[in-house]
Amino acid sequence: MSSIGTGYDLSVTTFSPDGRVFQIEYAAKAVDNSGTVIGIKCKDGIVMGVEKLITSKMMLPGSNRRIHSVHRHSGMAVAGLAADGRQIVARAKSEATNYESVYGEAIPIKELAQRVASYVHLCTLYWWLRPFGCGVILGGYDRDGPQLYMVEPSGISYRYFGAAIGKGKQAAKTEIEKLKLSELTCREGVIEVAKIIYKVHDEAKDKAFELEMSWVCDESKQQHQKVPDDLLEEAKVAARAALEEMDAD
Amino acid sequence: MNFMASTQPENRLLGPQSDSQRTLYPYVTGTSVVALKYKDGILMAADMGGSYGSTLRYKSVERMKPIGKHSLLGASGEISDFQEILRYLDELILYDNMWDDGNSLGPKEVHNYLTRVMYNRRNKFNPLWNSLVLGGVKNGQKYLGMVNMIGVNFEDNHVATGFGNHLARPILRQEWHENLSFEDGVRLLEKCMRVLLYRDRSAVNKLQVDVFLKMAPNQIYSLAKLLWSLT
């Protein structure tokens, strides 16, 4: 559903007659063009996965990280303009360390999400700033257990059981809804996330991709870290096998 | 007539305003830390006392803390400054961990960072009133260094702070050798700490002894604080 702004879309400080801010919607389009990013909340933690589209064969695997640690207990997966994403991550890190130095404890994930969302929203209020062209999935583990938040370029932030952004988000959301998240452990969740990403990857439009995954769970001692290599391999193998099974039908 | 009756000094360094911003003397202090390299890593010992002037006020102060995966930091001098240093290092290690790239700061890097911090504070006439011992093992390489409040730093096979320099180092110079076993190392440290207990008035008879093992670099094992009753 695309509408032409015709004059109401030139600035983020202009509303259209039907009450929309087109610049923010265009920013969201930038997110929709990027590789899929998904996050799920399992019973003992959060798993996040990114479909990192490889634009050049010269790229070193493991470079261009899309998932960043924000603090010991939380991490962010970014979709959309990578440089914009770096800014958001930098801001989140700074908010987290600032909270800790003032209050003496790790920032609660809800608070972190609110601060990140405020920051993203800030950039939609002034004509001299442009909105961030990236959406962020924030996962963390604090006193209230594992939590998953998503922040959109408009500055909206909600808490989710499962979230997806990027190219394959519709297909990914359908897949996530099929999972029984409250019964999955993070170990199982890693396999499921890998399967979903392999499934929603469009072989026709984009050739190669690299799978990047991270988790925060009891097994990782509530620290945000890359999924260990052996488990990642296991997940990739399972995902490829599931794809072949599907293709065989 | 001179209307400038205010006492604003031209040289900010000497004004009454700036004095309250500088450390002039320490309040709660820890005494010596002694450390040596042994066959498998580093052994470090410090007592658990925090003196308030001549009063032996606090008797369960942990003056040694692990830093990151590879190092151990022991401090003598002002305890609150030690706590501040721990905060700096905590942030340093946090940012290092957030890269999540398989690399981590080793003892040499941490020692260098501390030296910079101490020296720069000293140059601003606002020192962190500590003598620090930094030891650790990374990739099988042992490292043991010291840095004090004026920024003097060096690396050696055995180091000590404060009274330890006068009482413990001579013993270590005589009896330390390459490839000390764990038991010999502990015995040597105990000998040093005993002399310090006899002769240093601010020493306390409760010790914290930590080990950094080459073989298992992620383990620091605290020889649960030995309690001696020596009268």
Side-chain angles (χ1 to χ4, degrees):
Chain A
M1 188 195 90
S2 59
S3 356
I4 310 173
T6 1
Y8 300 113
D9 61 347
L10 296 174
S11 161
V12 82
T13 52
T14 308
F15 277 100
S16 75
D18 50 346
R20 296 153 69 176
V21 183
F22 280 102
Q23 278 296 310
I24 299 183
E25 294 186 20
Y26 296 162
K29 292 224 174 76
V31 180
D32 291 338
N33 285 338
S34 116
T36 319
V37 175
I38 61 181
I40 57 172
K41 169 168 142 43
C42 307
K43 71 176 179 203
D44 62 338
I46 306 283
V47 180
M48 293 191 282
V50 175
E51 174 203 7
K52 224 166 35 175
L53 298 168
I54 299 182
T55 42
S56 153
K57 286 209 180 90
M58 296 295 198
M59 227 174 81
L60 195 68
S63 66
N64 285 34
R65 294 280 301 266
R66 296 273 292 280
I67 309 186
H68 303 91
S69 286
V70 166
H71 202 60
R72 276 174 280 262
H73 62 0
S74 52
M76 253 186 196
V78 171
L81 300 175
D84 286 11
R86 251 201 303 280
Q87 269 302 93
I88 299 189
V89 170
R91 179 73 187 211
K93 284 183 181 172
S94 147
E95 294 281 3
T97 39
N98 176 263
Y99 185 97
E100 190 168 35
S101 69
V102 170
Y103 298 103
E105 66 153 20
I107 186 170
I109 311 298
K110 179 164 92 164
E111 181 68 32
L112 181 61
Q114 259 168 18
R115 291 189 183 196
V116 171
S118 295
Y119 182 61
V120 172
H121 177 239
L122 188 77
C123 299
T124 65
L125 293 173
Y126 302 103
W127 61 266
W128 65 77
L129 285 177
R130 70 163 170 78
F132 280 104
C134 56
V136 151
I137 293 190
L138 167 64
Y141 202 132
D142 63 17
R143 294 204 243 189
D144 301 323
Q147 290 160 64
L148 183 69
Y149 287 86
M150 183 164 90
V151 183
E152 297 169 23
S154 54
I156 290 179
S157 153
Y158 286 122
R159 190 172 159 188
Y160 292 92
F161 290 113
I165 36 180
K167 278 196 173 97
K169 69 171 188 248
Q170 285 297 74
K173 275 191 207 151
T174 327
E175 290 302 315
I176 295 176
E177 280 165 22
K178 290 186 193 157
L179 298 170
K180 282 225 179 82
L181 291 172
S182 54
E183 290 166 17
L184 276 180
T185 64
C186 272
R187 277 216 148 227
E188 295 159 359
V190 167
I191 315 277
E192 294 302 327
V193 166
K195 282 191 194 156
I196 296 177
I197 293 197
Y198 269 80
K199 193 163 180 189
V200 306
H201 173 67
D202 191 342
E203 277 296 329
K205 287 209 200 116
D206 322 293
K207 265 135 248 167
F209 79 101
E210 194 190 327
L211 177 64
E212 191 182 323
M213 283 211 281
S214 78
W215 66 2
V216 204
C217 57
D218 292 331
E219 209 179 309
S220 75
K221 302 202 187 78
Q222 289 99 34
Q223 312 270 16
H224 179 259
Q225 52 182 226
K226 271 196 302 218
V227 164
D229 290 329
D230 52 345
L231 184 55
L232 189 60
E233 266 317 303
E234 204 186 304
K236 285 185 187 169
V237 164
R240 276 183 223 124
L243 254 189
E244 273 165 26
E245 217 182 277
M246 235 185 52
D247 286 339
D249 297 332
Chain B
M1 271 270 88
N2 186 6
F3 289 103
M4 305 276 274
S6 86
T7 49
Q8 279 285 34
E10 299 224 317
N11 184 351
R12 297 296 307 167
L13 276 176
L14 301 175
Q17 280 271 319
S18 4
D19 275 346
S20 61
Q21 317 284 356
R22 300 194 268 145
T23 306
L24 293 174
Y25 25 72
Y27 286 94
V28 180
T29 55
T31 182
S32 340
V33 179
V34 187
L36 49 82
K37 283 187 191 169
Y38 77 107
K39 183 163 62 112
D40 296 325
I42 309 287
L43 269 166
M44 198 186 291
D47 68 22
M48 299 192 71
S51 310
Y52 186 69
S54 50
T55 313
L56 298 178
R57 184 140 173 214
Y58 302 105
K59 301 227 187 122
S60 292
V61 180
E62 278 193 32
R63 296 195 291 114
M64 298 192 305
K65 293 277 182 190
I67 307 292
K69 289 201 283 231
H70 302 286
S71 329
L72 201 52
L73 173 67
S76 69
E78 173 63 56
I79 301 294
S80 65
D81 282 348
F82 175 50
Q83 290 173 343
E84 188 67 9
I85 289 172
L86 288 178
R87 284 184 71 157
Y88 285 148
L89 288 176
D90 196 46
E91 196 172 317
L92 184 74
I93 300 288
L94 175 68
Y95 276 100
D96 186 46
N97 286 346
M98 290 209 281
W99 285 109
D100 203 6
D101 59 358
N103 219 334
S104 49
L105 289 172
K108 194 172 166 101
E109 288 93 54
V110 177
H111 185 222
N112 195 15
Y113 174 81
L114 286 173
T115 306
R116 289 297 98 224
V117 169
M118 301 299 270
Y119 183 65
N120 276 297
R121 288 286 296 252
R122 165 259 198 183
N123 283 345
K124 292 192 249 186
F125 285 90
N126 187 14
L128 288 160
W129 207 284
N130 294 107
S131 287
L132 305 168
V133 172
L134 201 298
V137 184
K138 185 174 166 187
N139 294 336
Q141 295 273 56
K142 301 180 282 229
Y143 184 90
L144 184 58
M146 208 211 75
V147 59
N148 67 7
M149 69 188 252
I150 55 175
V152 172
N153 76 301
F154 53 86
E155 204 208 313
D156 208 342
N157 292 320
H158 48 82
V159 296
T161 66
F163 260 92
N165 272 313
H166 300 112
L167 299 171
R169 292 296 297 285
I171 303 178
L172 291 168
R173 278 182 211 121
Q174 281 273 22
E175 303 191 18
W176 184 89
H177 58 87
E178 199 81 49
N179 291 321
L180 270 171
S181 74
F182 177 74
E183 291 75 24
D184 283 340
V186 174
R187 209 173 306 131
L188 194 47
L189 271 185
E190 269 185 48
K191 185 171 182 177
C192 294
M193 296 311 281
R194 181 168 312 162
V195 173
L196 285 168
L197 183 63
Y198 286 148
R199 293 295 176 177
D200 181 2
R201 73 144 185 209
S202 24
V204 135
N205 63 353
K206 200 159 122 186
L207 278 204
Q208 188 186 0
V209 181
D210 275 350
V211 166
F212 219 101
L213 298 172
K214 190 194 235 174
M215 299 302 138
N218 292 339
Q219 269 179 330
I220 295 193
Y221 118 67
S222 239
L223 275 177
K225 310 124 199 183
L226 309 173
L227 247 170
W228 297 337
S229 50
L230 287 172
T231 34

